[in-house]
């Protein structure tokens, strides 16, 4: 009977542990809950060759730390005008609520974004 208790305990503990998260455009407008010190990736896609870039507004650095972005072309071989994936690593560094505002803009038309997204991150 003891051997049944241990797996049940491990399942309970595993369910409570935070899992790394990917935050995508589908997460926009929803609260995303992260545990303190949890990491996640903000992943947004743009069309290559259009001149549009994703830009993030500053966030409360006492709650959320945004790392340096990386770029990946998912197609192999890459297609002209095909999708380009932009990823920012995020780390929950303090408890509270932070909002990430992402804008898809051309550098010469920053006042006219093609798309705007807002992500609400709650760190518990």
């Amino acid at each position: 009977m003891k051997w049944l208790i241990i797996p049940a305990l491990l399942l309970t503990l595993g369910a409570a542990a935070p899992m790394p998260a990917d935050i995508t455009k589908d997460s926009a407008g929803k609260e995303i809950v992260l545990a303190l010190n949890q990491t996640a990736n903000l992943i947004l896609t743009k069309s290559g060759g259009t001149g549009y870039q994703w830009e993030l507004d500053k966030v409360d650095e006492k709650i959320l730390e945004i790392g340096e972005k990386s770029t990946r072309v998912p197609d192999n071989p890459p297609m002209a005008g095909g999708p380009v994936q932009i990823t920012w690593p995020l780390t929950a560094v303090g408890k509270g609520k932070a909002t990430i505002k992402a804008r898809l803009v051309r550098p010469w038309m920053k006042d006219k974004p093609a798309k705007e997204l807002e992500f609400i991150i709650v760190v518990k």
Side-chain angles (χ1 to χ4, degrees):
M1 194 56 102
K2 289 181 184 177
W3 59 273
L4 290 175
I5 295 171
I6 292 172
L9 179 60
L10 290 174
L11 285 174
T12 303
L13 291 174
M19 297 295 292
D22 284 340
I23 301 167
T24 65
K25 68 175 182 165
D26 296 334
S27 307
K30 302 173 188 169
E31 280 195 356
I32 301 148
V33 178
L34 299 177
L36 191 60
N37 298 317
Q38 183 178 356
T39 60
N41 289 312
L42 173 59
I43 302 171
L44 298 175
T45 304
K46 67 179 187 96
S47 295
T50 61
Y52 283 98
Q53 300 291 326
W54 281 107
E55 292 185 355
L56 303 181
D57 289 350
K58 289 199 176 268
V59 299
D60 187 341
E61 294 174 349
K62 293 177 185 172
I63 297 172
L64 195 63
E65 186 176 279
I66 300 177
E68 192 163 331
K69 73 178 177 181
S70 62
T71 303
R72 184 175 84 81
V73 178
D75 289 336
N76 191 12
M79 292 182 348
V84 177
Q85 191 176 68
I86 312 299
T87 302
W88 290 267
L90 309 174
T91 304
V93 295
K95 292 184 179 184
K97 186 185 281 191
T99 301
I100 301 173
K101 293 183 181 179
R103 298 178 310 121
L104 185 62
V105 296
R106 287 180 165 155
W108 61 92
M109 296 174 60
K110 289 190 183 232
D111 59 333
K112 295 182 182 180
K115 189 178 284 189
E116 294 180 293
L117 301 172
E118 187 172 279
F119 303 92
I120 304 154
I121 312 294
V122 178
V123 179
K124 295 188 174 189

